[in-house]
Amino acid sequence: MTQPVLVPILGDQLSRNLASLRGRTKDDTVILMMEVWEEATYVRHHKQKIALIFSAMRHFAAELRDAGWTVDYTRLDDEDNSQSFTGEVARAVERHDPREIHVVEAGEWRVQQAIEEWADKFDCAVTVLPDDRYLCSIADFREWAEHRGSLRMETFYREMRRRTGLLMTGDGKPEGGEWNYDKENRKPPADEMEPPPRPTFPPDAMTDEVIAIVESRFGDHFGSLEDFGWPVTREEAQVAADVFFAERIERFGPYQDAMVTGEDQLYHSMLSTSINLGLLDPMELCRRAQQALHDGKAPINSVEGFIRQIIGWREYVRGFYWFHMPGLQTANALEAHRPLPEFYWTGETEMACMADCVRSTRDNAHAHHIQRLMVLGNFALLAGIHPQDVQDWYLVVYADAYEWVELPNVSAMILYADGGKLATKPYAASGNYINKMSDYCGSCTYSPHKKTGEGACPFNPLYWHFMTRHRDRLESNHRVGRIYANWDRMDEEKQQAYLTSAEAILETLEPASGWARNI
Ligand code: FAD
Ligand code: DLZ
Ligand code: SF4
């Protein structure tokens, strides 16, 4: 091939309709895929996350080759691997002497910075294409956001409903009469719940090979590879989606916020890894959800809830990320400085809720939304853990974690580190909330009903410690302010008991050492 177009495809761009592939001809294109140490270790990712990405990349490369494309693939252990994206593109430029490079913009700011230097570094034209697998472009979000005082997901979401036509009647009204059925997404766990098992996909020879590499090269990273069962191809991801639409979507809505010990998926879709890798198309999934409503197979609160997560939250956090980067990475509005406690890695804590969420995270590289938000995230918020430590943890431990989606959820949603640009108030909650929405407290050493002193649920005193610590900032917030009237009604002794209990808990927190980044 003389002077082809070089098309680098990154690990989360595994879509056949990728903008850089559309319209290209096979005899004029060299696709470049790169397993590189720099990506695999910029944080010490969960072992399942690395295995998933490498396996999905290798399967995707094989599929492309079968379809007649030329794929130049660098494996991690290749002798001359320079171990960085830019280094590998440089070597590919030498090998293929391309007339142009066509690349889709990166998901992460860090990688995009590197891509933007390619035009100066290489002796050929570099075209960076927008990633149109998202439904709202970075430019469109910016335009929407720039003209607003406050950015609210709900406003953005309604705009996206109108724009996509999902769940809209012919005369521009929301189907069912309401835009948002969030209030019907909050059923506590019920005795008769019997969630079907999650479909898993046993590793084939290609995945086994990758698992062996991960065990030997990243053996000391967090997490277990024992139960690896993620879909690694589009075909498998489609099966996972079929099972969700056949078996779980009906109850997805009502039990979206429920938590049950040992039940790691409940009625959640478990599709985030496949969507984020590019194996599944978000709009296609939303259309299927809409069809389930129209076929009478799922109620509106389930279907609207699912569609809201995808065209609402998912698109919103992505736009929010690019709008606020790079500042979002270092934001720390609540001036939280405590190091992450060791039990986020070991799961060794008497708090039954935290232990179960860390266990699921370690075993599955997954925890569902409310576990990430109201247990793991809530504790980090109340205890005042440094945002950088919390960001690193979330980026490491989840198989679906990429900075564009992890960072807004962590920094802005759970930690309020952005000072309220994303959330109207901090998602702070006492043990009461966890007790209501889960069965955790029944098997816990602590009691959610005990407020202070020995045996009290740590979330109770920590809640008031947090609220009083940030009174100056939060009291004027109309969604939080009235809570201070409850505090002011308590006698001084009770107030002191809360604060002393909280201080005692904070003092026992053992700081984690060196799990997230190579030092
Ligand atoms: P479901 O509950 O079935 O939801 C359907 C889909 O909606 C998900 O697959 C996902 O694509 C999307 N979605 C739902 N909530 C969100 C959200 N808040 N932001 C973006 N997309 C959403 N999701 C990630 O994909 N990667 C992350 O790194 C990530 N980090 C998170 C960190 C915190 C602190 C919190 C609170 C949430 C985070 N989420 C993240 C969002 C959410 O928890 C996961 O998408 C979800 O748990 C994945 O499981 P599921 O596919 O079964 O989701
Ligand atoms: C997460 C990840 C890892 C662990 N390794 C690679 C890799 O070796 N090669 C690759 O192309 N992508 C990898 N990724 C995913 C990238 O970090 C992801 O594509 C970024 O979001 C790019 O912005
Ligand atoms: Fe968690 Fe408190 Fe309930 Fe224990 S009592 S499970 S720490 S909320």
Side-chain angles (χ1 to χ4, degrees):
M1 227 182 273
T2 53
Q3 292 223 291
V5 170
L6 184 68
V7 176
I9 295 186
L10 307 181
D12 58 354
Q13 299 182 340
L14 310 183
S15 314
R16 290 291 285 273
N17 72 339
L18 199 66
S20 54
L21 286 179
R22 272 200 316 267
R24 294 238 47 79
T25 50
K26 290 171 186 167
D27 57 1
D28 189 30
T29 305
V30 172
I31 293 168
L32 175 67
M33 295 181 70
M34 308 156 268
E35 290 173 11
V36 291
W37 192 250
E38 196 173 79
E39 281 308 292
T41 58
Y42 75 91
V43 288
R44 290 160 54 88
H45 309 278
H46 192 297
K47 283 183 260 187
Q48 283 193 33
K49 181 178 173 188
I50 305 179
L52 168 65
I53 292 171
F54 283 5
S55 173
M57 284 173 64
R58 290 182 182 200
H59 280 89
F60 188 68
E63 246 177 61
L64 290 172
R65 282 191 185 123
D66 286 349
W69 293 92
T70 303
V71 183
D72 188 354
Y73 193 100
T74 313
R75 287 172 170 237
L76 190 76
D77 287 332
D78 284 354
E79 214 174 286
D80 298 330
N81 189 336
S82 64
Q83 304 296 359
S84 77
F85 284 145
T86 300
E88 282 315 279
V89 174
R91 289 200 318 125
V93 166
E94 266 179 40
R95 279 195 300 274
H96 303 289
D97 184 25
R99 64 177 190 281
E100 269 183 73
I101 297 175
H102 286 187
V103 64
V104 168
E105 65 195 358
E108 299 187 337
W109 192 85
R110 171 183 57 81
V111 178
Q112 185 60 20
Q113 298 310 297
I115 289 178
E116 277 165 20
E117 291 176 6
W118 290 358
D120 289 337
K121 280 202 157 81
F122 306 127
D123 203 11
C124 63
V126 178
T127 305
V128 183
L129 300 154
D131 192 344
D132 54 15
R133 297 172 305 163
Y134 294 93
L135 302 163
C136 178
S137 69
I138 295 170
D140 281 0
F141 187 94
R142 180 169 292 281
E143 193 178 319
W144 173 82
E146 257 165 7
H147 302 294
R148 260 154 241 273
S150 69
L151 306 184
R152 293 292 164 241
M153 197 293 286
E154 185 61 25
T155 327
F156 172 82
Y157 168 55
R158 291 183 190 189
E159 188 73 30
M160 291 299 286
R161 286 273 294 277
R162 288 193 194 93
R163 197 203 269 208
T164 57
L166 286 164
L167 296 184
M168 298 299 290
T169 61
D171 56 357
K173 302 241 161 58
E175 260 188 60
E178 304 285 338
W179 286 100
N180 184 317
Y181 289 82
D182 196 24
K183 287 198 183 70
E184 293 173 43
N185 294 151
R186 295 176 193 159
K187 264 192 169 189
D191 290 341
E192 82 324 336
M193 284 196 331
E194 270 186 44
R198 153 202 182 195
T200 52
F201 302 87
D204 61 5
M206 203 179 264
T207 303
D208 273 338
E209 195 184 340
V210 165
I211 286 177
I213 293 170
V214 174
E215 281 294 17
S216 81
R217 303 294 299 270
F218 310 99
D220 60 345
H221 282 207
F222 175 73
S224 155
L225 274 165
E226 234 165 77
D227 293 329
F228 185 95
W230 292 107
V232 295
T233 62
R234 172 163 169 83
E235 211 179 3
E236 288 181 347
Q238 287 285 20
V239 173
D242 291 349
V243 173
F244 171 65
F245 288 116
E247 298 180 357
R248 298 214 292 286
I249 190 168
E250 189 187 350
R251 304 191 114 194
F252 170 84
Y255 296 113
Q256 211 173 321
D257 287 1
M259 295 175 282
V260 179
T261 310
E263 288 287 352
D264 298 340
Q265 293 85 45
L266 286 175
Y267 299 98
H268 292 273
S269 71
M270 302 298 285
L271 296 177
S272 55
T273 57
S274 304
I275 305 172
N276 294 350
L277 284 170
L279 303 178
L280 291 177
D281 173 23
M283 191 61 190
E284 211 173 288
L285 293 172
C286 291
R287 286 207 195 93
R288 287 190 72 176
Q290 179 172 257
Q291 197 57 48
L293 174 73
H294 295 167
D295 292 345
K297 293 196 174 132
I300 184 111
N301 58 335
S302 287
V303 169
E304 187 279 321
F306 181 75
I307 289 177
R308 178 172 6 107
Q309 302 314 317
I310 295 195
I311 66 166
W313 279 112
R314 185 171 188 274
E315 293 289 332
Y316 176 73
V317 299
R318 193 234 180 190
F320 187 92
Y321 171 76
W322 286 101
F323 191 60
H324 288 294
M325 277 301 277
L328 194 57
Q329 238 167 14
T330 49
N332 190 1
L334 297 185
E335 294 177 43
H337 292 293
R338 197 174 300 281
L340 188 80
E342 180 80 352
F343 61 70
Y344 272 79
W345 299 107
T346 62
E348 285 165 17
T349 161
E350 298 291 314
M351 291 181 275
C353 54
M354 292 293 284
D356 191 58
C357 294
V358 173
R359 179 205 50 75
S360 172
T361 302
R362 184 189 55 231
D363 293 353
N364 309 317
H366 188 274
H368 58 76
H369 184 71
I370 214 70
Q371 296 175 312
R372 296 188 204 193
L373 180 68
M374 295 309 292
V375 178
L376 299 158
N378 187 25
F379 190 91
L381 170 75
L382 300 185
I385 311 298
H386 197 295
Q388 190 67 62
D389 276 18
V390 188
Q391 284 155 212
D392 279 355
W393 187 81
Y394 277 90
L395 197 54
V396 165
V397 301
Y398 293 117
D400 58 22
Y402 301 88
E403 195 185 68
W404 67 265
V405 52
E406 168 273 323
L407 186 55
N409 273 299
V410 170
S411 163
M413 188 162 351
I414 65 170
L415 298 181
Y416 206 69
D418 65 338
K421 293 188 178 88
L422 181 138
T424 47
K425 67 177 181 70
Y427 280 91
S430 68
N432 215 3
Y433 175 87
I434 298 173
N435 188 33
K436 191 174 100 197
M437 295 308 296
S438 77
D439 71 350
Y440 287 140
C441 303
S443 59
C444 188
T445 310
Y446 302 108
S447 164
H449 307 297
K450 194 144 192 272
K451 306 296 180 199
T452 58
E454 195 150 334
C457 166
F459 285 88
N460 291 337
L462 286 177
Y463 172 80
W464 282 116
H465 195 271
F466 172 83
M467 293 306 290
T468 53
R469 251 181 9 244
H470 298 295
R471 185 165 188 159
D472 285 353
R473 173 182 280 270
L474 298 179
E475 196 167 22
S476 57
N477 180 323
H478 72 284
R479 294 197 64 200
V480 187
R482 62 191 159 75
I483 287 165
Y484 290 102
N486 297 338
W487 176 255
D488 292 340
R489 267 197 299 275
M490 285 179 211
D491 61 47
E492 216 171 292
E493 206 179 323
K494 197 167 175 194
Q495 288 179 342
Q496 202 47 55
Y498 270 120
L499 299 181
T500 312
S501 290
E503 291 291 348
I505 294 160
L506 292 172
E507 263 170 41
T508 65
L509 299 179
E510 186 89 17
S513 47
W515 283 89
R517 285 185 189 261
N518 292 310
I519 304 165

